């Protein structure tokens, strides 16, 4: 059918028509809000490259979490900045570690809010890598054991879901096994299945104080040039028992998100990472773009590409804007 029989503008002519034929919807139910919990008290320190996002000690993070809950956001994703770091990231799997204490405090104050924890070593190691170092590289198999301990201690503290972000091979299976052995067979794993070695994590590393002290993460995170490899990574994690798979970063990898949506029927998450947030905040702060419009369009783009869950620092703003209608 061609012009003049076909006129695309007929169903675009007024808002009610547009509403009726709209293919994608964004809801507050889609959102996960990431937060940074810092050891100590009385801390609420804005991350300079991420306006509106803070490193905060437990009393403040609880308030922030309650605000997210009151806005209708179903879940938060927690990152920890421990008191001390060491070569083996001991705080990560200590039952009195920063995340364990934070989970307990949030679950006590806001029990209805789903608390997801990031499971990785880089925030807890003095060298800033996501695992144990052997011969100048992150050692896969010895790291698995620590990740499993970390996940277990998060869940023991009350975490509702764990999200391994380290990119070691076999970690989903290792975590699933230890959770099941300890009676936590009901706890889902949201795996950072497809995580690229990305420059977009820059501001996060300031926020989580997790910059690698030597080298980079390219021996474990994925090469941004690779698309087929994403399918292999996802297949492996699904085989190992992942309940939700994630693509990260978001905007430069929408093709990957769509590939996974077409290939798998599991719930799919996307991480709209720190650098993506910072770019929008910088442009909006300069008056160069309309922040609300650009953020909502970005969120819709994730949904259209196939995401069910969007992890985003914009979550509270998005929830407010959706409420206003
Ligand atoms: C830790 C982790 C990172 C992010 C989430 N978990 C950083 C990294 O891998 O260097 C990035 C999140 C963001 O940039 O917002 N492994
Ligand atoms: Zn890490």
């Amino acid at each position: 059918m061609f012009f003049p029989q076909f006129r695309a503008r007929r169903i675009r002519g007024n808002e009610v028509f547009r509403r009726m034929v709209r293919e994608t919807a964004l809801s507050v139910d889609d959102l996960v809000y990431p937060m940074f919990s810092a050891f100590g008290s009385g801390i609420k320190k804005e991350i300079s490259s991420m306006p509106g996002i803070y490193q905060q000690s437990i009393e403040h993070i609880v308030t922030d979490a309650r605000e997210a809950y009151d806005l209708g956001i179903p879940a938060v994703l927690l990152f920890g900045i421990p008191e001390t770091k060491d070569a083996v990231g001991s705080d990560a799997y200590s039952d009195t570690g920063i995340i364990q204490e934070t989970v307990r405090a949030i679950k006590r104050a806001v029990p209805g809010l789903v608390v997801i924890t990031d499971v990785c070593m880089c925030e807890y190691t003095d060298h800033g890598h996501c695992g144990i170092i052997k011969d100048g590289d992150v050692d896969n198999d010895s790291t698995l054991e620590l990740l499993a301990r970390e996940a277990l201690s998060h869940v023991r503290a009350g975490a509702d879901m764990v999200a391994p972000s380290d990119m070691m091979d076999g970690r989903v299976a290792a975590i699933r096994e230890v959770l099941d052995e300890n009676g936590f067979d009901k706890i889902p794993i949201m795996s950072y299945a497809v995580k690229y070695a990305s420059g977009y994590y820059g501001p996060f590393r300031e926020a989580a104080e997790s910059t690698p002290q030597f080298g980079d993460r390219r021996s474990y995170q994925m090469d941004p040039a690779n698309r087929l490899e994403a399918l292999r990574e996802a297949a492996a994690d699904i085989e190992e028992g992942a309940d939700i798979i994630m693509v990260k970063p978001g905007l430069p990898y929408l093709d990957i998100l769509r590939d996974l949506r077409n290939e798998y029927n599991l719930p799919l998450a996307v991480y709209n990472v720190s650098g993506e947030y910072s770019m929008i905040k910088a442009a909006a702060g300069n008056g160069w773009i309309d922040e609300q419009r650009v953020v909502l369009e970005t969120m819709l783009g994730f949904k259209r590409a196939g995401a069910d869950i969007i992890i985003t620092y914009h979550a509270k703003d998005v929830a407010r804007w959706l409420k206003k209608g």
Side-chain angles (χ1 to χ4, degrees), residues 84-235:
T84 52
K85 307 190 184 215
D86 60 29
V88 292
S90 304
D91 196 86
Y93 37 88
S94 156
D95 285 332
T96 53
I98 180 68
I99 283 297
Q100 292 79 357
E101 299 290 7
T102 307
V103 170
R104 274 183 215 110
I106 294 178
K107 289 306 292 186
R108 208 179 303 126
V110 200
L113 181 68
V114 163
V115 173
I116 311 170
T117 57
D118 183 85
V119 174
C120 199
M121 303 301 295
C122 55
E123 299 131 71
Y124 310 95
T125 52
D126 51 13
H127 46 73
H129 276 288
C130 302
I132 298 302
I133 302 294
K134 260 189 203 160
D135 305 323
D137 191 14
V138 174
D139 185 64
N140 196 87
D141 298 13
S142 54
T143 299
L144 293 183
E145 206 178 303
L146 300 187
L147 292 168
R149 278 172 68 184
E150 179 180 8
L152 179 60
S153 80
H154 289 177
V155 170
R156 280 196 172 132
D160 299 292
M161 191 187 297
V162 290
S165 70
D166 51 283
M167 291 300 279
M168 298 304 116
D169 292 315
R171 91 268 207 211
V172 174
I175 291 170
R176 185 72 273 158
E177 190 185 331
V178 88
L179 292 184
D180 289 358
E181 278 169 5
N182 286 276
F184 294 113
D185 49 286
K186 289 189 183 138
I187 299 290
I189 300 176
M190 174 165 71
S191 117
Y192 289 68
V194 179
K195 178 175 176 184
Y196 287 92
S198 172
Y200 284 88
Y201 307 148
F204 174 93
R205 293 182 186 167
E206 178 199 338
E209 300 177 9
S210 63
T211 307
Q213 298 305 301
F214 65 90
D216 54 41
R217 302 208 204 288
R218 279 183 285 193
S219 82
Y220 43 104
Q221 297 180 350
M222 283 177 57
D223 184 338
N226 293 353
R227 184 172 178 188
L228 297 174
E229 190 185 3
L231 296 174
R232 297 198 293 277
E233 278 284 3

Side-chain angles (χ1 to χ4, degrees), residues 37-60:
S37 182
F39 181 85
S41 63
I43 299 167
K44 183 159 178 140
K45 188 173 151 221
E46 193 168 36
I47 296 140
S48 61
S49 53
M50 300 177 73
I53 303 295
Y54 301 83
Q55 290 184 343
Q56 30 192 356
S57 47
I58 287 181
E59 75 277 25
H60 290 297

